[in-house]
Amino acid sequence: MEFEAASKKRNKMVHMNQKLRRKITALVVDDDTTNRTIHSRLLQNLGIENQEVRNGKEAIDLHSSGRIFDLILMDMDMPIMNGIEATKQLRAMGIRSTIAGVSTRSVKEQVQEFMEAGLDDYQEKPLTSAKLISILHKISHNGSVVS
């Protein structure tokens, strides 16, 4: 039942994405190659163009070079710069992208600290199509929310 509902929502999101003037873009920020691959494929399955980086500093550098994304999937625990610090810096830079924390952390205080850094959403790993679709509902285009 959950699979059917997720499949219907996925089809609706793909259709909505095709109707938009420009495609939704996403940045996957995770130090784990397997997680980056899974998240990238989930996004691709929904017709979302995406790029991958290995840590928060690479995400900051990419935005500093002028790249902007509709969605950022941000891991919490990464070397060089973690997701909390990267999220704070992106918000300080004026980045208005939807930032969703995606982590294995489930301790309330740790999740709260991540949310307070400037997240729009938090999902516990593993990321699934249903969780991703829930995140995508928060992205707005041209003044209207994708739903």
Side-chain angles (χ1 to χ4, degrees):
M1 182 90 162
E2 182 179 325
F3 176 77
E4 287 179 22
S7 180
K8 285 181 183 177
K9 284 185 178 180
R10 183 188 80 78
N11 289 339
K12 185 176 180 181
M13 288 303 299
V14 169
H15 180 70
M16 290 293 294
N17 195 23
Q18 290 170 347
K19 288 173 67 175
L20 295 171
R21 285 186 211 181
R22 66 176 182 82
K23 287 191 168 235
I24 295 172
T25 58
L27 178 64
V28 177
V29 186
D30 200 307
D31 61 314
D32 184 270
T33 304
T34 303
N35 286 329
R36 282 196 316 270
T37 300
I38 290 168
H39 296 171
S40 179
R41 286 189 181 155
L42 285 169
L43 290 161
Q44 288 171 359
N45 288 343
L46 294 174
I48 298 171
E49 295 178 2
N50 65 89
Q51 187 169 343
E52 303 171 23
V53 295
R54 296 176 304 244
N55 60 63
K57 183 178 183 323
E58 290 181 4
I60 298 296
D61 292 346
L62 197 56
H63 281 84
S64 294
S65 73
R67 286 297 314 267
I68 300 291
F69 300 88
D70 300 300
L71 171 65
I72 302 169
L73 297 177
M74 181 75 70
D75 184 28
M76 183 187 299
D77 299 308
M78 296 176 287
I80 302 173
M81 181 184 291
N82 68 34
I84 293 171
E85 185 59 34
T87 301
K88 287 178 182 177
Q89 286 195 28
L90 288 168
R91 293 302 188 211
M93 292 167 60
I95 302 300
R96 305 302 314 149
S97 306
T98 298
I99 304 177
V102 184
S103 179
T104 57
R105 299 292 182 109
S106 59
V107 177
K108 184 179 178 181
E109 291 79 16
Q110 293 171 328
V111 173
Q112 186 64 33
E113 181 183 8
F114 203 6
M115 287 297 298
E116 288 173 358
L119 294 182
D120 297 295
D121 194 15
Y122 177 86
Q123 296 291 333
E124 196 170 325
K125 288 179 183 174
L127 189 62
T128 63
S129 291
K131 289 177 182 179
L132 181 56
I133 289 167
S134 170
I135 295 167
L136 291 171
H137 281 280
K138 298 177 186 239
I139 296 175
S140 62
H141 282 279
N142 303 326
S144 63
V145 175
V146 175
S147 59

